[in-house]
Amino acid sequence: MNDPIRPPRYEIRAHHTAATVTVYQAYRPAIGLPAARDGHFPAVWKRDRMTWIKPSFLWMMYRCGWGTKEGQETVLAVEISREGFGWALENAELSHYVRGVHPDRATWQRNLRRSPTRVQWDPERDLHLNPLPHRSLQLGLGGEAARRYADEWLVSVTDVTPLAHEVHRLVRAGEQDRAMALLPVEEPLTGVRPPVPVGR
């Protein structure tokens, strides 16, 4: 995040260890608070629905409005196994058709139906949530992937809503350096090859 050198256009940057990757989601308190308290998603969390995980803290802030949007008031940092994250990427398809990447639209649609995960690349965001030239990964988990995420890959769940609110407060106060210092350290994740919307 703090590197003055512009990152590659398509690159996964995440807070990670040798064994885990941290992703972010935002939920209504009825889901988010029990998940953080118990370390797993509550029964109301639906395993048969597509769920989107984001390795970028600032992209999550853009999506949930710093934890102020309705239904996204509780921001979670979800630590999952690196092995599981890798499985999700290996079984992913791009969320949209790209000429030159897919042989034709029918092949892409067939692959998308079969794939338990889908990849979407959206502009990364700065502290003011303005778009940057490089992209941030969003990873959609459905079917088998969603079940594995909740039941096998999950290592820990932390409520980071107070962090989101404090960073937002500092940004509004013009204290950019202090806000930057609070951001999770996100570094390139090597050894993984997500689908990218450009021809090989």
Side-chain angles (χ1 to χ4, degrees):
M1 280 291 178
N2 300 334
D3 192 338
I5 300 174
R6 179 180 296 180
R9 185 170 175 81
Y10 299 104
E11 178 185 61
I12 300 176
R13 294 167 301 280
H15 182 72
H16 60 88
T17 69
T20 64
V21 178
T22 297
V23 297
Y24 300 95
Q25 295 192 287
Y27 290 103
R28 66 183 189 274
I31 292 179
L33 294 179
R37 181 192 65 221
D38 301 331
H40 59 79
F41 291 109
V44 69
W45 192 88
K46 301 299 183 183
R47 285 164 172 75
D48 57 351
R49 293 180 60 184
M50 178 74 68
T51 188
W52 289 85
I53 58 177
K54 299 95 175 168
S56 166
F57 179 81
L58 284 178
W59 203 94
M60 185 72 259
M61 295 306 99
Y62 165 72
R63 181 68 180 83
C64 71
W66 301 101
T68 62
K69 290 185 179 179
E70 184 177 358
Q72 300 184 62
E73 300 92 343
T74 306
V75 185
L76 301 178
V78 183
E79 192 179 21
I80 62 175
S81 71
R82 191 159 178 160
E83 181 180 0
F85 190 77
W87 184 93
L89 291 175
E90 289 171 6
N91 290 277
E93 177 58 271
L94 286 172
S95 62
H96 62 285
Y97 168 71
V98 179
R99 185 187 300 273
V101 173
H102 306 103
D104 51 60
R105 188 175 294 273
T107 300
W108 164 73
Q109 290 176 331
R110 185 167 56 251
N111 291 343
L112 190 65
R113 285 194 298 270
R114 294 173 177 171
S115 174
T117 54
R118 47 189 72 176
V119 161
Q120 184 169 308
W121 295 95
D122 295 299
E124 182 59 281
R125 301 286 160 166
D126 65 14
L127 265 179
H128 299 279
L129 306 186
N130 297 314
L132 295 170
H134 53 283
R135 299 282 166 154
S136 179
L137 175 83
Q138 319 324 314
L139 188 59
L141 309 176
E144 180 184 1
R147 292 190 294 273
R148 286 181 177 231
Y149 172 63
D151 300 328
E152 299 177 19
W153 304 342
L154 195 149
V155 175
S156 70
V157 183
T158 304
D159 183 354
V160 292
T161 312
L163 172 63
H165 291 170
E166 177 61 10
V167 173
H168 189 205
R169 184 190 70 78
L170 291 171
V171 171
R172 293 198 313 269
E175 299 187 56
Q176 182 161 314
D177 289 344
R178 289 183 63 196
M180 288 290 289
L182 292 180
L183 294 179
V185 177
E186 296 172 1
E187 298 177 332
L189 191 63
T190 59
V192 294
R193 291 189 175 183
V196 294
V198 293
R200 305 299 201 277

